[in-house]
Amino acid sequence: MTTFAPGSCSNPTSEVELTISCRNLLDCDVFSKSDPMCVIFYKSSEMPDWKEIFRTETIDNNLNPNFVKKAILTYHFELMQELKFNVYDVDSNDSNLESHDFLGSCSTTLGQIVSSGTITLPLKGGHPNNKGQLTVHVEELSGCRDEITLQLKGWMLNRHDWCGWLSSFFRHPSAFLEISKSGEDGDYRVVHRTEAVRWSRNPRWKKFSILTRSLCGNDWDRDLKISVYDSSYGGDNFLIGEFHTCLRQLSQGPNSETEFQCIQPSRKKRNSTSKNNGSITLEHYELRKIHTFLDYITNGTQINCTFAIDFTSSNGDPSHPQSLHYISGYNSNQYEQALKSVGDIIQDYDSDKMYPVLGFGARLPPDGRISHEFFVNQHPTNPYVNGIDGVIEAYKSCIRSVQLYGPTNFSPVINHVAKFATTYQDGSQYFILLIITDGIITDMHQTKKAIVEASHLPMSIIIVGVGSADFGAMDELDADTVPLSYNGLNAIRDIVQFVPFRNFQSVSNPTLARAYLAKEVLAEIPDQVVEYMKNKRITPGSFKN
């Protein structure tokens, strides 16, 4: 919910959480069941084309999945926000959706979901006899972002059924936990699912963290059901037992009050004194306040922006009006517009307004040497210019003195900024690299390596694609839904945001177009700053101590 400020004005918006489940999905696998994943696409009057905004986890061998991963959206009362839900059977680790079997789709609006509370829609496509359904439940999130870390341990877990008795001769349970919160409609919805600990009657699950607003809507007395399952390779998991608790009770532990007996519901109905199927004990509880972007900024964290400009020949001869680098006395080219749009926002958070400006892909005077990391102001040792106007003037001057060449290498400028970010990991400084480019990356391997290595640093990378080139590779770097990896090593966090400039060229008002561009380009920065600070356990202003 937006902050209440008496005497002010605010649009009616809320942050809402979507819980997704499916029933009766198509079975596209021969020797097992489908492995479903749901993908959400979004469009509105402000964003007229469908854009992928969210992917759930993949649940193996399950035609009736309850997805744990939640979609968090901002609901605007005054805006038509259209949502499309596509469900796929995931057959590999390929992030390309076309590589997976399509199980069906449905569409609605966020307004319809909010007004209904829970909505069930038929899935269409995939097969003429598709009987699948998708259910979406919405819950408004409070502003509180405290985080709970828990660790649970099982003791003497047993399956008291004939199959469990038989299997006990061959293996112990492979147990996992599902934590579900109660809803006003009486239903329970899964908020967390642990890993399965293989073949152990006394499993200790890994520590996990979850926001209190996701766990219980910040209602510390809200009923939580914790279910213990024996994992099955066929997808038909066996319920060992369950128990009920609440966050208030968990917060008192670990102690004798946070040791719970696992009772199989069917056996409990038959005999109230029936033997339990083992017990679950709380081993670790921790409450941590999650700070906001503004908490860090107002307590002294400085934002430093470095601009990197593509001077490769694919931009076209700067002396020709068709060139993306053509300097006109009347209209700003796409490079100037991107620099101005982002710079006007960034400068509010930079105290000294001095910006380093790098160039790549050009031949430099006087000898024509090729460089993928040079100072645009052409100073031999100091890349800084004063203010956003200084950035644009340095760019215009540089265009007249270098020769556009190639290839398009990103890794040198990424590594350049990463070098500085490495020396400031205490929360006092955060670095943003804005790359403006027209072409396809030619050092993709090195660029992925540089991004993965920089993902643990106080650093974000914004890429603005100008012109009409194919920017398909940029979506892989953006990694909004599939983590970026290099040689099997995943990036610690998503630090890249890619935006094609052409998405905003249809806006007739140049001022409005720049505003939309800046909003899209900078949308992920606050969360990326907070995620870095959280990972490093940095509190606002702690570097001053």
Side-chain angles (χ1 to χ4, degrees):
M1 185 78 70
T2 53
T3 302
F4 173 68
S8 67
C9 175
S10 176
N11 288 326
T13 62
S14 295
E15 201 170 20
V16 296
E17 175 186 84
L18 302 186
T19 298
I20 303 166
S21 60
C22 297
R23 295 294 180 265
N24 303 315
L25 293 179
L26 293 171
D27 193 354
C28 293
D29 293 343
V30 178
F31 299 108
S32 61
K33 297 174 182 176
S34 294
D35 307 319
M37 171 185 70
C38 181
V39 183
I40 301 180
F41 298 84
Y42 174 92
K43 72 175 181 179
S44 68
S45 56
E46 293 182 341
M47 187 187 297
D49 297 320
W50 287 114
K51 178 184 178 182
E52 179 186 329
I53 59 168
F54 176 80
R55 294 187 187 191
T56 67
E57 77 277 17
T58 298
I59 299 182
D60 294 338
N61 303 313
N62 199 319
L63 303 183
N64 302 291
N66 297 314
F67 296 104
V68 173
K69 193 175 178 184
K70 316 294 185 186
I72 309 296
L73 302 178
T74 301
Y75 165 62
H76 299 266
F77 175 79
E78 76 286 0
L79 194 63
M80 171 76 80
Q81 297 172 278
E82 297 182 66
L83 298 175
K84 179 169 65 176
F85 300 83
N86 285 3
V87 183
Y88 297 87
D89 173 23
V90 177
D91 296 318
S92 68
N93 292 325
D94 195 335
S95 62
N96 186 356
L97 294 176
E98 294 180 358
S99 302
H100 309 296
D101 293 326
F102 177 65
L103 300 181
S105 177
C106 58
S107 301
T108 184
T109 66
L110 187 54
Q112 287 177 315
I113 296 172
V114 169
S115 63
S116 302
T118 300
I119 187 170
T120 298
L121 303 166
L123 291 171
K124 300 178 181 178
H127 191 277
N129 297 324
N130 192 349
K131 297 181 180 179
Q133 295 178 317
L134 182 139
T135 298
V136 186
H137 174 78
V138 66
E139 183 169 328
E140 185 176 11
L141 294 173
S142 71
C144 177
R145 297 174 64 88
D146 291 345
E147 184 180 71
I148 301 293
T149 300
L150 302 172
Q151 184 171 33
L152 298 160
K153 182 182 186 302
W155 176 252
M156 298 300 290
L157 299 181
N158 283 302
R159 286 182 56 167
H160 288 291
D161 66 321
W162 72 269
C163 183
W165 176 81
L166 183 64
S167 66
S168 65
F169 286 97
F170 302 100
R171 71 170 181 89
H172 291 309
S174 295
F176 68 92
L177 302 177
E178 277 190 357
I179 303 177
S180 305
K181 63 182 176 183
S182 61
E184 293 181 0
D185 55 4
D187 290 338
Y188 288 87
R189 293 176 178 86
V190 180
V191 294
H192 183 77
R193 183 180 293 118
T194 70
E195 78 284 2
V197 177
R198 296 292 179 192
W199 307 308
S200 173
R201 294 181 65 190
N202 306 309
R204 177 184 279 107
W205 293 279
K206 295 177 183 178
K207 289 181 181 179
F208 65 90
S209 298
I210 185 170
L211 294 176
T212 58
R213 66 181 191 174
S214 295
L215 178 65
C216 60
N218 290 318
D219 177 358
W220 285 52
D221 296 305
R222 187 171 184 173
D223 185 31
L224 301 175
K225 180 174 71 174
I226 301 184
S227 306
V228 188
Y229 288 94
D230 182 12
S231 175
S232 167
Y233 290 108
D236 297 320
N237 301 312
F238 179 84
L239 178 61
I240 295 175
E242 63 186 29
F243 59 91
H244 292 257
T245 183
C246 64
L247 182 54
R248 190 174 305 282
Q249 183 178 11
L250 294 173
S251 70
Q252 305 304 313
N255 58 26
S256 60
E257 297 299 316
T258 55
E259 180 176 332
F260 306 95
Q261 304 304 308
C262 289
I263 305 295
Q264 230 283 349
S266 60
R267 296 179 71 242
K268 189 174 182 180
K269 290 178 182 178
R270 292 196 303 266
N271 181 1
S272 61
T273 61
S274 62
K275 185 179 178 181
N276 66 65
N277 289 359
S279 63
I280 302 294
T281 301
L282 176 68
E283 285 208 328
H284 177 84
Y285 170 88
E286 180 184 356
L287 172 65
R288 187 150 59 107
K289 179 177 175 59
I290 301 300
H291 301 283
T292 67
F293 174 70
L294 290 181
D295 288 337
Y296 290 101
I297 296 301
T298 56
N299 281 278
T301 297
Q302 290 292 308
I303 302 295
N304 301 280
C305 186
T306 298
F307 298 90
I309 302 172
D310 181 344
F311 286 92
T312 57
S313 58
S314 55
N315 285 279
D317 188 336
S319 63
H320 295 164
Q322 293 77 22
S323 171
L324 293 169
H325 279 307
Y326 181 69
I327 305 296
S328 165
Y330 304 100
N331 299 312
S332 300
N333 64 35
Q334 293 185 29
Y335 280 87
E336 293 175 87
Q337 291 178 55
L339 290 168
K340 180 72 173 170
S341 301
V342 178
D344 281 347
I345 303 296
I346 289 295
Q347 67 181 353
D348 290 339
Y349 301 97
D350 192 302
S351 58
D352 64 5
K353 306 293 187 292
M354 298 295 292
Y355 306 103
V357 188
L358 308 177
F360 58 91
R363 298 180 68 184
L364 308 183
D367 56 358
R369 63 184 176 87
I370 302 169
S371 177
H372 300 292
E373 181 194 342
F374 61 89
F375 299 162
V376 168
N377 64 0
Q378 300 173 73
H379 191 284
T381 59
N382 183 3
Y384 288 88
V385 300
N386 187 13
I388 300 306
D389 289 339
V391 172
I392 294 174
E393 287 307 312
Y395 157 68
K396 289 180 176 179
S397 175
C398 187
I399 278 291
R400 301 184 182 96
S401 59
V402 301
Q403 182 182 28
L404 305 193
Y405 203 68
T408 306
N409 292 346
F410 281 9
S411 59
V413 294
I414 294 173
N415 291 329
H416 176 96
V417 176
K419 240 184 341 183
F420 290 93
T422 301
T423 63
Y424 293 97
Q425 299 189 51
D426 60 353
S428 61
Q429 310 283 329
Y430 194 90
F431 296 82
I432 297 173
L433 170 61
L434 173 66
I435 302 175
I436 310 177
T437 182
D438 85 307
I440 299 172
I441 303 174
T442 50
D443 68 337
M444 188 65 170
H445 185 74
Q446 293 89 341
T447 293
K448 289 168 66 173
K449 178 176 184 289
I451 293 171
V452 169
E453 291 176 347
S455 65
H456 74 281
L457 298 174
M459 177 175 170
S460 293
I461 302 168
I462 300 167
I463 304 172
V464 177
V466 298
S468 56
D470 178 9
F471 292 112
M474 301 296 185
D475 291 328
E476 182 181 0
L477 299 183
D478 196 315
D480 278 341
T481 53
V482 179
L484 183 69
S485 63
Y486 167 77
N487 280 356
L489 182 65
N490 285 345
I492 293 175
R493 58 195 183 93
D494 172 22
I495 64 170
V496 178
Q497 169 78 337
F498 169 70
V499 178
F501 187 88
R502 58 175 172 257
N503 288 0
F504 306 91
Q505 287 184 289
S506 59
V507 181
S508 57
N509 185 325
T511 303
L512 196 59
R514 286 198 300 270
Y516 286 160
L517 173 65
K519 179 181 178 181
E520 181 74 9
V521 163
L522 299 171
E524 296 183 7
I525 295 298
D527 285 344
Q528 289 176 3
V529 172
V530 170
E531 187 178 11
Y532 170 78
M533 301 296 188
K534 174 186 168 184
N535 288 348
K536 296 290 186 178
R537 292 184 172 268
I538 297 171
T539 56
S542 58
F543 53 87
K544 298 176 183 177
N545 298 333

